[in-house]
Amino acid sequence: MNPRWAISPTKELEFCVYDVRDSNWNKVKGLYIFAKVTNNRWSPLYIGKTEDFSQRMPNHERFDDAIRRGATHIHAVALPNWNSQSLDLAERYLITYYEPPLNTQHLR
């Protein structure tokens, strides 16, 4: 069963789970989470959005930091019909709600 993450107070999305070594990313927009398991639950380390997974995920600037902190998987959801504003709002909510340690630029 794929994990569900809250993107607003009333809505959750189901994310697919990929191994951190996966390099097969599609050219589609969406949300992603670098995650690890803590106390038998997924724990987000970094949350982001992208207009194109195939361009964003290779050589991601927070990837090495996430691996050092124990990331084992990337949770991703493709949202091809969403506009940039909707992606921004969902990303902001995820970061505010889950407070991932590597999203320090958003926690001020």
Side-chain angles (χ1 to χ4, degrees):
M1 185 159 139
N2 288 326
R4 298 181 68 81
W5 295 92
I7 61 159
S8 80
T10 59
K11 185 172 183 180
E12 293 180 341
L13 287 180
E14 185 174 318
F15 284 64
C16 294
V17 178
Y18 302 90
D19 188 279
V20 291
R21 294 178 299 267
D22 196 330
S23 60
N24 249 349
W25 295 101
N26 295 323
K27 184 176 179 140
V28 65
K29 69 175 85 170
L31 299 165
Y32 60 92
I33 301 169
F34 294 152
K36 68 178 182 177
V37 175
T38 304
N39 298 325
N40 293 321
R41 298 188 66 168
W42 287 113
S43 177
L45 297 169
Y46 182 84
I47 293 169
K49 66 177 185 315
T50 183
E51 292 290 325
D52 180 350
F53 279 104
S54 69
Q55 292 295 311
R56 181 71 173 126
M57 299 316 285
N59 306 310
H60 191 288
E61 73 275 4
R62 296 304 258 172
F63 183 77
D64 290 339
D65 293 333
I67 295 295
R68 276 192 289 281
R69 288 184 175 244
T72 56
H73 293 83
I74 300 170
H75 298 193
V77 59
L79 301 165
N81 299 321
W82 281 36
N83 62 37
S84 294
Q85 182 182 8
S86 296
L87 280 175
D88 288 345
L89 289 172
E91 178 196 37
R92 210 169 304 130
Y93 184 84
L94 282 161
I95 292 168
T96 301
Y97 186 78
Y98 293 105
E99 299 181 343
L102 296 176
N103 284 98
T104 55
Q105 75 278 16
H106 294 285
L107 295 177
R108 293 180 246 247

